[in-house]
Amino acid sequence: MDIEITTVESIARVRLKGRLDTPGVDQVEGKFTSSVVTGGKNTVVDLSQVSFIASMGLRMFIGIAKALKRQNARMVLFAPQSQVNEVFNTVLLHQILPIVADEAEAVRFAAG
Amino acid sequence: MSLEKAATRVTLRIPSSLAGLKQGSEERSRWLSQWNLGEETGNRAHLVFDEIVTNIIRYAFGDGHEHGIEVAFHLADDSLTLSFDDDGRPFDPRTAPEPVNTGSLAKAAIGGRGLLLVRKAAKRLNYERSIAGRNRLSVELARS
């Protein structure tokens, strides 16, 4: 599992690649959390290269989004693949986190 | 490996640790790759394996010691069954409450969605607590 984080115009852009199962989350959660939560940055997360997610991945997203919300920042997920989108739909994740189609929309939503 | 030659049932014994989960996941993936089951069935098997083994590691024991978890995969004509055997505290996943849908990030629980995903993926779940004090869970998936 790989993670790449850049900050452009005060928005953190996180690109994840691989499988967000328990071992995958273990590999990226520390860097993800320390990079975006510490600064309380609005954050967009590119899921286009995430082929699989299990509940530990959901736990990571919800935990980070809650920590950002306490600092009046928000996290937006974008471009989920089919298995990831199916899991999001099963747990009704869209009711608690914004999930959009592409990066431009995610940036607009995060900045807004 | 041809369909006729590959074993339709395999059993693994893994330690109750992240290293054990990784080892089991690799062996599951290797075994499944011998069959042409399709991405959807493979993903469901991965999901069920990851959720159940993670739950056992995190919640089944409380003594700080590493335990063994036995996992079996059985392929039939129309189903793939994953079976889990552990000596942790009794827990029947069929009776676990559904997560409450709060509709807001502020009120949402961080965790508690794994068994919902397992129940949605499964065709059938069976659980028994053996006389010897072991949890025996089997999760049957439809082959797509």
Side-chain angles (χ1 to χ4, degrees):
Chain A
M1 187 78 213
D2 297 320
I3 182 168
E4 180 188 316
I5 303 170
T6 54
T7 301
V8 180
E9 294 172 355
S10 77
I11 294 177
R13 297 168 194 236
V14 180
R15 286 188 173 79
L16 296 167
K17 183 178 182 183
R19 294 178 154 203
L20 278 175
D21 52 13
T22 297
V25 170
D26 183 65
Q27 286 179 307
V28 299
E29 187 170 25
K31 183 175 180 181
F32 192 170
T33 303
S34 63
S35 298
V36 306
V37 173
T38 307
K41 297 184 188 82
N42 287 325
T43 301
V44 298
V45 184
D46 183 352
L47 299 175
S48 63
Q49 295 184 81
V50 175
S51 58
F52 177 90
I53 192 168
S55 67
M56 291 300 280
L58 299 172
R59 175 188 285 267
M60 177 178 75
F61 288 142
I62 295 168
I64 291 172
K66 278 175 165 288
L68 288 174
K69 186 178 173 61
R70 287 194 288 271
Q71 302 175 72
N72 296 315
R74 61 171 64 170
M75 184 172 79
V76 183
L77 309 176
F78 70 92
Q81 292 188 31
S82 61
Q83 188 274 347
V84 176
N85 203 39
E86 190 179 321
V87 166
F88 287 175
N89 288 336
T90 301
V91 303
L92 304 176
L93 192 70
H94 60 279
Q95 293 189 1
I96 54 178
L97 284 181
I99 304 162
V100 300
D102 58 40
E103 183 165 5
E105 192 180 356
V107 168
R108 276 199 303 277
F109 205 99
Chain B
M1 190 175 287
S2 73
L3 193 73
E4 290 74 24
K5 288 178 182 173
T8 56
R9 183 181 180 91
V10 291
T11 302
L12 317 173
R13 186 172 172 83
I14 58 174
S16 59
S17 63
L18 183 61
L21 174 60
K22 285 181 189 171
Q23 174 203 333
S25 191
E26 285 166 10
E27 291 187 34
R28 183 211 68 245
S29 182
R30 199 160 39 243
W31 179 73
L32 277 178
S33 70
Q34 299 173 76
W35 308 94
N36 191 21
L37 296 181
E39 188 178 0
E40 192 179 334
T41 303
N43 279 339
R44 285 204 301 264
H46 186 178
L47 180 82
V48 168
F49 179 85
D50 193 77
E51 299 294 352
I52 298 298
V53 175
T54 298
N55 263 9
I56 293 170
I57 293 169
R58 286 167 66 97
Y59 305 118
F61 314 109
D63 57 8
H65 296 298
E66 201 167 85
H67 293 246
I69 305 169
E70 195 173 287
V71 187
F73 306 95
H74 179 223
L75 190 63
D77 288 343
D78 61 352
S79 66
L80 170 65
T81 301
L82 289 76
S83 304
F84 304 86
D85 184 305
D86 69 81
D87 65 348
R89 55 176 66 96
F91 176 65
D92 183 349
R94 300 171 305 176
T95 62
E98 294 272 330
V100 177
N101 181 23
T102 62
S104 80
L105 177 60
K107 293 178 182 172
I110 290 178
R113 294 168 181 81
L115 291 177
L116 168 65
L117 295 176
V118 170
R119 284 195 286 253
K120 292 287 184 185
K123 183 176 164 188
R124 190 174 296 118
L125 272 78
N126 286 310
Y127 170 83
E128 64 171 21
R129 182 73 178 177
S130 76
I131 295 169
R134 300 188 67 87
N135 294 306
R136 289 181 176 152
L137 172 69
S138 66
V139 183
E140 184 180 331
L141 308 175
R143 286 177 63 170
S144 53

